[in-house]
């Protein structure tokens, strides 16, 4: 693993850890903005509450989700897709706050992907025991753009595998303020999150929140 020091616009210095040719962990990249992000998440989920969606196979996901942006990721018995409206309310998803898009663009640029302009942000809430099995992010029409993933709250073990499910995944513990970027040759790598351990985070409380930025259309 390569370790490099990096400075960014918020004047914080972060460690980077390379996971692959197109993938990096930016340690603490979002730390100085975490409370702002947390406040914005509160406003978004007041309008589009967290919900545990159904997979196409009929299983209830353990992770609760919401979205902001011009489109949002949803799943139900008819499949995985992006849609502009919240299926629970029929209303458009809340707009993406400028703080979110600026952070995502800066993180992508720090990882070598300049000009990232996400149109979708999936908000994941993990309570103790919640997990996400290995999967690829492949519902986005535009796969030339990276995925930018921001972790807040309790630590979690992120699994980063290969382009085939059978490849053994690397385990990386992600903590409050860490950002992972994957794109280019790593854009379709399998990834997931192990079951969250119970705990209490001073800002976020008894859960982990994850913001995953995508250019979906
Ligand atoms: C995801 O793959 O959508 C979430 C990844 C994470 O929670 O870190
Ligand atoms: Fe994913």
């Amino acid at each position: 693993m390569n370790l490099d020091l990096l400075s960014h616009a918020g004047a914080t210095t972060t460690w980077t850890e390379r996971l692959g040719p197109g993938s990096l962990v930016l340690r603490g990249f979002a730390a100085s903005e975490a409370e702002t992000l947390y406040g914005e998440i509160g406003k978004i989920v007041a309008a589009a509450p967290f919900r545990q969606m159904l997979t196409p196979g009929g299983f209830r996901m353990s992770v609760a989700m919401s979205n902001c942006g011009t489109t949002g990721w949803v799943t139900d018995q008819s499949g995985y897709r992006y849609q502009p409206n919240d299926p629970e309310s029929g209303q458009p998803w809340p707009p993406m706050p400028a703080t979110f898009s600026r952070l995502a663009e800066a993180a992508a640029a720090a990882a070598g992907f300049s000009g990232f302009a996400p149109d979708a942000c999936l908000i994941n809430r993990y309570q103790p025991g919640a997990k996400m099995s290995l999967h690829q992010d492949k519902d986005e029409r535009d796969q030339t753009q990276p995925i930018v993933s921001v972790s807040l709250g309790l630590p979690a073990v992120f699994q980063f595998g290969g382009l085939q499910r059978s490849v053994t995944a690397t385990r990386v513990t992600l903590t409050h303020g860490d950002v992972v970027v994957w794109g280019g040759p790593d854009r379709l790598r399998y990834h997931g999150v192990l079951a969250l351990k119970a705990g209490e985070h001073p800002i976020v409380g008894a859960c982990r929140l994850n913001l995953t930025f995508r250019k979906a259309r």
Side-chain angles (χ1 to χ4, degrees):
M1 191 174 286
N2 291 329
L3 298 177
D4 284 303
L5 277 174
L6 179 87
S7 295
H8 72 94
T12 21
T13 302
T14 52
W15 286 105
T16 70
E17 298 170 18
R18 186 157 289 284
L19 297 175
S23 45
L24 278 180
V25 184
L26 305 166
R27 293 289 183 194
F29 193 89
S32 62
E33 284 166 282
E35 291 186 54
T36 306
L37 301 176
Y38 183 65
E40 295 289 358
I41 294 169
K43 291 188 236 168
I44 293 163
V45 302
F50 283 120
R51 81 291 305 265
Q52 288 172 265
M53 299 189 210
L54 271 186
T55 67
F59 294 100
R60 182 84 47 202
M61 296 189 78
S62 59
V63 178
M65 297 176 170
S66 183
N67 287 279
C68 64
T70 56
T71 192
W73 187 85
V74 297
T75 173
D76 61 19
Q77 284 191 289
S78 56
Y80 303 129
R81 64 192 176 278
Y82 281 90
Q83 62 174 55
N85 296 320
D86 178 347
E88 294 294 319
S89 66
Q91 294 298 115
W93 295 107
M96 192 182 302
T99 46
F100 281 31
S101 38
R102 275 200 299 263
L103 173 72
E105 185 191 355
F113 302 98
S114 59
F116 181 51
D119 55 8
C121 174
L122 175 67
I123 307 172
N124 292 313
R125 185 188 66 193
Y126 297 75
Q127 289 178 318
K131 62 181 163 56
M132 198 174 289
S133 6
L134 280 181
H135 65 278
Q136 294 170 295
D137 290 355
K138 56 179 186 190
D139 302 320
E140 299 72 31
R141 203 176 299 157
D142 186 352
Q143 296 182 351
T144 67
Q145 296 302 299
I147 302 286
V148 172
S149 166
V150 177
S151 292
L152 298 171
L154 292 178
V157 179
F158 180 68
Q159 295 179 286
F160 197 65
L163 294 171
Q164 267 115 37
R165 191 186 289 278
S166 56
V167 174
T168 306
T170 304
R171 292 181 172 192
V172 189
T173 298
L174 298 179
T175 62
H176 185 71
D178 289 346
V179 179
V180 187
V181 180
W182 62 97
D186 293 335
R187 176 61 181 72
L188 290 176
R189 282 176 69 170
Y190 278 87
H191 58 280
V193 176
L194 299 185
L196 193 82
K197 291 209 173 100
E200 185 69 25
H201 185 274
I203 296 166
V204 174
C207 68
R208 168 177 186 259
L209 297 172
N210 167 259
L211 302 174
T212 307
F213 294 92
R214 298 100 186 268
K215 177 79 176 78
R217 300 171 179 262

